[in-house]
Amino acid sequence: MYAQDNNNASGTKARTAGAAKSDNNRFEVSKQLDIFNALIKEVEMFYVDTVDIKKTIRRGVDAMLKGLDPYTEYIPEDEMEQLKFLTTGEYGGIGAYIRFREGGTVITEPFEGMPAAEAGLKAGDLIVAVDTVDAVGLSSDKVSELLKGVPNTKMTVKVQRPGEKKVRNFEVVRKQVIVNQVVHYGVYDGNTGYIYLKSFTDKSAQEIKTAFEEMKKDHRIGSLILDLRDNGGGILEGAVQIVNLFVPKGKEVLTMKGRESQWDRTYRTYNEPIDTVMPIVLLINGSSASASEIVSGALQDMDRAVLVGQRSFGKGLVQSTRDLPYDGKLKVTTNKYYIPSGRCIQQLDYSHRNPDGSVAVIPDSLTSVFYTENSRPVRDGGGIRPDFEIEEDKMPTMIYYLYADKDYILFDYVTNWVSRHKTISPAEDFVYTDEDYESFKKHIIEKNFEYDRQSGKALDALKEVAAFEGFTGEDSTLFIALEEKLKPNLERDLERYKKDIKALISSEIVKRYYYQRGEIKHNLRDDNTFQKALDVLKDRDLYHKTLKPSTELQVTPEEKMALYKSAVKENV
């Protein structure tokens, strides 16, 4: 907010200074564009080799925008379909993930109830041809173009199934693929509803409402767990609508503040809610970002839900799209958002980078205290902190390399395992045996699986520094002993990380039979964060006590409003 200036002379002077600054900015923009245009022309004419101008300019544009923040990006016309999918969860096609590997493009995951799965296509199938077009060797982008199309059109997809010599033909009818963001919902522990939301689209709120009302009607649930873990966000309106399901009409959910006051906007709940009293526990982790943080932060600030899990990612920025020539768009960061307590939870300060270009994390010591409606203290910066923090098991790097392995060692093993087992137990009961794990160990050793070890890299770097500073000549036995200890030993690590690797394989197997819904049901069985949520909801005294203010702290509404105004003014 700005105070009215009654001094006419000073007001005129300020407007004159502002106009001069604007003129200088316009001149600088024009000057730099002239330089850029001249550079492109000179390089195109005189560079020693032929230059792909489109790729060269795209690299420059991407690097320029990356220097602002990771969320500002250029979207050309040929990538608009992906933007539409992110906002609506819809596209015309067969409903499957595909990925390029040596030899061609394979199906990695058909979606439940979609054309690929209904036609009988499976994970591991190598796409040989689409209708009369040979697909062998084509990139996954090219194959995707062949598979997508107008709903209700037919095509023949030819695939080579692992372990088979004969090519299989599948007639597939494209349809409007709608990827449900509520991947799984169900009732646990007698009367607690559970909903897992994967992302935020324009239909997410309706999906949650449908699941909630079904469980309330058919199972008379008395409490709810909303799982936003690993949910990287999506459209802002979807988050506001979901908050609206559980709080009264007219409540402020967030305020957006930009560089110019005309970009500011306040979002309030505008519909009647479906429930305002049922106990809710919301699950978050370090990959819960953006719209997930709006929902979790707003419900925390309103004392409407107890949060369990790990601190969220910390993205307090909002992007808008701007039209560009030739049907492209610029997705650009235009605002910071402030949730009901007045706090902005942005963790990284992209406007003040370190000398090396890296971005500093706002330390906890520099964050400020804000207060919920019940005067509970909460902090800005660094994401949303849960009311009950559950320590997350550190995943060994070996798991990452197994999952992302370019040689598909784990993927092929699971494909082969599934081909030998027509059915398995229900998702929540399936057990991957020690005997099966021994077969996996044999498989991966035979394939000479290699994985990066960060400790070994760090030791090499330390040795270089020590040699430069002249320390290694005195006594190198410590380095030799440590190097021997850190040397990769596949058989040893397969046993050391057996529990984690078995869990990964088990989850991948279940997904082949029961899709993402079954994978979530299977993983909840040994989920400490989920179990803590159930425990909190069972103990209603603990639940209500958590949402009450500390007896040592009472903050008046006037004090909270003063904090809110101060925070919005200082952070923009």
Side-chain angles (χ1 to χ4, degrees), residues 441-449 490:
K441 285 169 60 177
K442 183 179 179 182
H443 167 79
I444 199 170
I445 291 169
E446 288 174 351
K447 294 292 183 179
N448 295 316
F449 173 67
L490 184 56

Side-chain angles (χ1 to χ4, degrees), residues 98-100 104-106 137-145 147:
I98 59 174
R99 181 178 165 191
F100 184 82
T105 296
V106 296
L138 291 182
S139 69
S140 57
D141 287 341
K142 292 292 184 184
V143 175
S144 178
E145 290 176 13
L147 295 172

Side-chain angles (χ1 to χ4, degrees), residues 382-527:
I384 304 294
R385 296 165 176 83
D387 302 297
F388 293 95
E389 191 149 2
I390 309 299
E391 188 172 349
E392 197 170 32
D393 292 335
K394 287 190 172 151
M395 195 66 69
T397 55
M398 187 178 187
I399 297 292
Y400 168 79
Y401 286 99
L402 272 172
Y403 196 77
D405 174 38
K406 66 181 186 333
D407 294 322
Y408 283 72
I409 291 174
L410 172 63
F411 183 85
D412 288 343
Y413 169 81
V414 173
T415 299
N416 180 262
W417 192 99
V418 169
S419 71
R420 293 182 285 105
H421 298 78
K422 298 300 180 186
T423 61
I424 62 171
S425 306
E428 57 270 37
D429 299 326
F430 174 72
V431 175
Y432 179 68
T433 67
D434 287 343
E435 182 181 357
D436 280 328
Y437 185 67
E438 289 302 315
S439 71
F440 172 74
K441 285 169 60 177
K442 183 179 179 182
H443 167 79
I444 199 170
I445 291 169
E446 288 174 351
K447 294 292 183 179
N448 295 316
F449 173 67
E450 294 183 356
Y451 54 101
D452 197 356
R453 291 182 62 88
Q454 297 302 314
S455 55
K457 282 188 172 183
L459 179 61
D460 290 340
L462 179 60
K463 284 167 65 178
E464 285 185 18
V465 173
F468 176 77
E469 295 181 346
F471 291 116
T472 52
E474 299 174 6
D475 185 4
S476 62
T477 56
L478 289 175
F479 281 110
I480 294 171
L482 188 55
E483 189 172 31
E484 189 61 32
K485 191 169 185 179
L486 295 177
K487 190 179 292 183
N489 183 319
L490 184 56
E491 292 191 48
R492 178 194 65 197
D493 288 345
L494 283 169
E495 200 56 40
R496 175 182 292 174
Y497 305 127
K498 178 178 176 178
K499 179 183 176 183
D500 296 310
I501 298 172
K502 279 187 66 178
L504 173 62
I505 297 172
S506 181
S507 180
E508 289 298 304
I509 288 173
V510 167
K511 187 161 62 175
R512 298 290 183 96
Y513 295 90
Y514 301 111
Y515 305 96
Q516 292 181 17
R517 170 179 53 86
E519 179 187 21
I520 292 170
K521 289 174 70 176
H522 178 72
N523 292 341
L524 286 177
R525 187 176 60 185
D526 301 313
D527 189 330

Side-chain angles (χ1 to χ4, degrees), residues 228-286:
L228 298 181
R229 290 176 295 176
D230 301 316
N231 183 325
I235 65 170
L236 182 148
E237 287 80 3
V240 176
Q241 291 166 9
I242 289 170
V243 173
N244 195 166
L245 295 175
F246 304 107
V247 300
K249 182 179 179 180
K251 297 278 282 186
E252 182 179 313
V253 178
L254 78 153
T255 296
M256 297 197 315
K257 293 284 182 178
R259 194 176 69 194
E260 304 293 340
S261 59
Q262 61 263 33
W263 300 343
D264 297 351
R265 183 176 176 184
T266 296
Y267 288 82
R268 297 179 182 276
T269 55
Y270 51 85
N271 290 323
E272 292 299 330
I274 57 175
D275 190 289
T276 60
V277 296
M278 181 181 291
I280 299 174
V281 167
L282 209 148
L283 308 185
I284 57 172
N285 65 6

Side-chain angles (χ1 to χ4, degrees), residues 57-86:
I57 292 179
R58 180 63 189 269
R59 279 199 306 270
V61 168
D62 289 345
M64 174 183 70
L65 298 180
K66 188 178 180 181
L68 300 175
D69 62 49
Y71 315 112
T72 298
E73 58 181 323
Y74 166 55
I75 306 168
E77 180 186 10
D78 57 4
E79 295 177 18
M80 291 302 296
E81 192 69 27
Q82 180 63 17
L83 179 64
K84 180 184 175 185
F85 172 65
L86 291 174

Side-chain angles (χ1 to χ4, degrees), residues 301 303 340-343 369-379 553-555 559-560 563:
D301 283 358
D303 300 299
S341 64
R343 54 182 170 148
V369 176
F370 293 79
Y371 298 95
T372 70
E373 288 186 5
N374 286 344
S375 297
R376 294 188 299 141
V378 288
R379 286 189 170 272
L553 179 69
Q554 294 294 329
V555 183
E559 289 172 323
K560 284 193 284 187
L563 283 168

